[in-house]
Amino acid sequence: MSNAHPDPLSGPTTGADAPDPAAVSAALLDLLDLRTLGADGSGGSTGADGVDGARAPGAAGGASAAVFEGDTRPQPGGHVFGGQVMGQAVVAVGRTVPETRHIHSMYSYFLAPGDPHQPIRFSVDALRDGGSFSVRRVLATQGERTILAMTASFQEVQDGLQHQDRAPEAPDPEGLPTTAEVLAGIDHPVARYWATQRPIDIRHVTDPIYLRPDGSGAESQMLWMRVLTPIEADPLVHDAILAFASDYTPFEPILRRQGLSWVTPGLRMATIDHAIWWHQHVDAGEWLLYVQRSPSASGGRGLTQGEMFARDGSLVATITQEGMIRTGADRR
């Protein structure tokens, strides 16, 4: 499972200068810059290592398409951020299909927490290459342990029937407080990480619940998000960044509905599975409106449904996530 909940914001610590946002964005691109290994994972480079490198056509019939390796980044809580593993997995599978095919869906199971002190290996299998669609499976491993299993489907750009939901009314993101402004005055590693080291600028339309619960028991929330600074990258990387960013806030609608906050004592959360459908492919440097709700929580699990909209109101992605969520005396 992906550990999605760091330690509560309590206790003072030494202050530090905030990193340059451009450097934080560049670090995200570096994180998605997977190294290409030999098809057997032996370490022999078979092509360009950059995220903008050429993507080789995959073999059909379940044959091994490629093996990649990615770095990790430490974060509060002691585990690898689940969105990082998903984003890297999207890059890995995307490099094994022709550039004319774009990801339209993926489903991930988080099987074990990732170790931030070890690189992650991504082994991709080509399950099918048809006339319009390609399907890939990828396992993310550290040593002998599998931490994520993902299946993803890609499609040639095609015309067809069209309809979509439209974005609800929401205030412009420029007038909303940043996470750094919301957490101003909280001198703690977790607060500083959320405020200055996450590569995604998150601005809540609904009051944020970092420090205090939503007393209204609201069933949904809205927030804007984008990369801290504009980036130039292959469309595959922008799709990977959407996957990365989509994992930051799915627990929040559950917490809102239950009258909890991120710092509720005894709260434990971890992602079980996460699915995304891409309806359009967007620039991750442009604002996206993320509308989320939780239709169910039971058995120590909570489900969230989300829609992402572009600034013009068009629907660009649909996201669902199920996670373990427990409080107080509950046991994992």
Side-chain angles (χ1 to χ4, degrees):
M1 292 183 179
S2 166
N3 182 33
H5 181 59
D7 296 331
L9 306 184
S10 61
T13 188
T14 304
D17 293 335
D20 176 31
V24 177
S25 295
L28 174 59
L29 293 182
D30 289 342
L31 198 61
L32 298 174
D33 189 4
L34 305 183
R35 294 177 289 279
T36 306
L37 306 182
D40 60 356
S42 62
S45 178
T46 59
D49 292 337
V51 289
D52 294 326
R55 290 177 277 173
S64 177
V67 180
F68 305 92
E69 187 177 71
D71 294 324
T72 57
R73 292 283 190 274
Q75 67 157 9
H79 299 297
V80 177
F81 173 49
Q84 173 203 307
V85 188
M86 283 196 299
Q88 290 174 319
V90 168
V91 170
V93 292
R95 286 200 191 165
T96 68
V97 301
E99 291 186 356
T100 54
R101 298 190 176 189
H102 299 280
I103 191 168
H104 70 87
S105 65
M106 74 83 176
Y107 195 97
S108 294
Y109 269 109
F110 290 90
L111 305 177
D115 182 349
H117 305 293
Q118 295 185 46
I120 304 172
R121 180 164 293 189
F122 298 88
S123 301
V124 181
D125 290 331
L127 301 184
R128 182 178 186 271
D129 283 305
S132 301
F133 291 88
S134 294
V135 180
R136 297 291 185 265
R137 176 180 58 211
V138 58
L139 297 181
T141 60
Q142 291 181 310
E144 298 300 317
R145 184 173 64 171
T146 302
I147 63 174
L148 176 138
M150 174 189 289
T151 303
S153 182
F154 293 74
Q155 182 188 16
E156 297 279 347
V157 176
Q158 295 177 321
D159 295 327
L161 300 176
Q162 291 197 31
H163 68 260
Q164 61 179 284
D165 290 346
R166 301 292 298 178
E169 292 293 329
D172 291 335
E174 291 83 1
L176 298 172
T178 65
T179 302
E181 291 170 339
V182 172
L183 297 177
I186 307 296
D187 190 15
H188 184 273
V190 176
R192 288 205 307 273
Y193 179 84
W194 284 347
T196 66
Q197 298 178 47
R198 293 194 297 193
I200 307 300
D201 185 352
I202 298 175
R203 305 191 184 192
H204 285 79
V205 175
T206 319
D207 286 342
I209 55 172
Y210 295 120
L211 304 175
R212 59 187 62 85
D214 181 348
S216 70
E219 297 182 2
S220 63
Q221 72 170 22
M222 293 192 293
L223 55 91
W224 291 95
M225 57 171 47
R226 68 175 179 182
V227 177
L228 286 176
T229 58
I231 59 170
E232 293 185 7
D234 185 89
L236 172 65
V237 179
H238 288 271
D239 294 335
I241 292 173
L242 187 149
F244 180 102
S246 71
D247 193 38
Y248 272 125
T249 60
F251 280 104
E252 291 188 355
I254 304 170
L255 298 179
R256 284 186 190 281
R257 193 159 179 175
Q258 294 292 326
L260 305 173
S261 76
W262 282 100
V263 298
T264 297
L267 185 64
R268 300 298 300 170
M269 298 182 290
T271 304
I272 300 172
D273 49 71
H274 192 106
I276 303 176
W277 292 264
W278 284 261
H279 311 303
Q280 299 181 34
H281 296 270
V282 299
D283 183 343
E286 300 293 334
W287 287 110
L288 297 172
L289 180 65
Y290 199 2
V291 181
Q292 300 171 288
R293 61 183 294 270
S294 175
S296 173
S298 62
R301 306 182 316 278
L303 179 68
T304 296
Q305 299 171 335
E307 293 180 311
M308 278 195 184
F309 299 89
R311 193 74 181 264
D312 65 4
S314 59
L315 180 64
V316 300
T318 299
I319 300 110
T320 62
Q321 177 175 295
E322 185 180 40
M324 181 208 78
I325 180 164
R326 298 184 179 170
T327 60
D330 292 341
R331 291 292 181 264
R332 185 167 179 169

